[in-house]
């Protein structure tokens, strides 16, 4: 199953250094039967994109947590796409939510999706507003929309060292 795992630039650095990725709480997003049933139409590719967008929004939460910890933060959403077998569907949390058992080896990573530099201001504003957006704040939701207007760039796993060097 293709699973979309939310991450940060710091987590990508760990992936490259350790050759494995440890998702926070094992949380990922995928095209689950519950997600498919929640849409009246849509191809597999379109519905996988929905799961990827859910992971990108979850990446905003990870960036927000890093901001609270006053860590050095590169405000870019990151989604690691991996092909995994050990996945538990969690429709009790949301239609696309899955739990991954353990760490994800680099060999399972199919691609990585990262915001470009032009998205940093919008991502920073969205990360600061993500909790308020969940509570119905329309201005905060607008900030999230600004970040989501930026498409994530696609990278092959072997390109990660070069990407991180350029940041």
């Amino acid at each position: 199953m293709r699973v979309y795992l939310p991450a940060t630039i710091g987590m990508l650095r760990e992936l490259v250094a350790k050759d494995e990725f440890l998702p926070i709480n094992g949380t990922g997003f995928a095209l689950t039967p519950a997600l498919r049933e929640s849409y009246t139409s849509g191809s597999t590719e379109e519905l996988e994109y929905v799961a990827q967008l859910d992971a990108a929004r979850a990446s905003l939460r990870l960036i927000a947590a890093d901001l609270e910890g006053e860590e050095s933060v590169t405000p870019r959403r990151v989604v690691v796409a991996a092909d995994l077998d050990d996945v538990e569907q969690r429709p009790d949390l949301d239609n696309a939510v899955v739990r991954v058992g353990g760490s994800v080896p680099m060999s399972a990573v199919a691609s990585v999706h990262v915001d470009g530099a032009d998205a940093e201001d919008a991502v920073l504003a969205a990360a600061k507003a993500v909790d308020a957006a969940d509570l119905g704040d329309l201005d905060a939701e607008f900030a999230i929309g600004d970040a989501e207007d930026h498409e994530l760039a696609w990278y092959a796993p072997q390109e990660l060292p070069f990407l991180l060097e350029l940041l």
Side-chain angles (χ1 to χ4, degrees):
M1 171 181 278
R2 176 67 48 97
V3 178
Y4 299 93
L5 304 162
T8 63
I9 294 296
M11 293 170 76
L12 273 189
R13 291 187 195 286
E14 287 183 30
L15 168 61
V16 170
K18 296 180 179 178
D19 210 35
E20 67 179 10
F21 180 76
L22 187 60
I24 303 291
N25 295 326
T27 301
F29 300 85
L31 173 51
T32 63
L35 179 63
R36 186 175 296 282
E37 288 174 16
S38 69
Y39 282 83
T40 57
S41 67
S43 69
T44 296
E45 184 176 293
E46 290 169 328
L47 295 176
E48 283 183 340
Y49 185 69
V50 170
Q52 179 186 337
L53 290 177
D54 285 348
R57 186 172 279 211
S59 176
L60 287 174
R61 296 178 198 298
L62 298 176
I63 294 167
D66 285 353
L67 289 170
E68 288 178 12
E70 297 181 27
E71 295 180 28
S72 175
V73 176
T74 303
R76 296 191 190 189
R77 295 170 301 158
V78 176
V79 175
V80 175
D83 294 320
L84 304 170
D85 294 325
D86 186 16
V87 176
E88 175 189 355
Q89 297 176 34
R90 293 297 310 268
D92 55 312
L93 297 176
D94 201 3
N95 290 332
V97 176
V98 296
R99 288 288 157 103
V100 175
S103 64
V104 176
M106 180 67 91
S107 61
V109 175
S111 59
V112 176
H113 308 268
V114 181
D115 274 313
D118 62 328
E120 285 187 1
D121 290 339
V123 169
L124 184 59
K128 291 177 180 178
V130 70
D131 287 338
D134 286 345
L135 297 173
D137 183 314
L138 295 179
D139 290 334
E141 189 60 43
F142 183 74
I144 302 293
D146 281 348
E148 291 177 343
D149 284 343
H150 294 271
E151 289 292 326
L152 299 174
W154 181 96
Y155 294 93
Q158 61 269 27
E159 295 176 302
L160 292 181
F162 305 108
L163 169 66
L164 294 171
E165 186 177 311
L166 294 173
L167 293 178

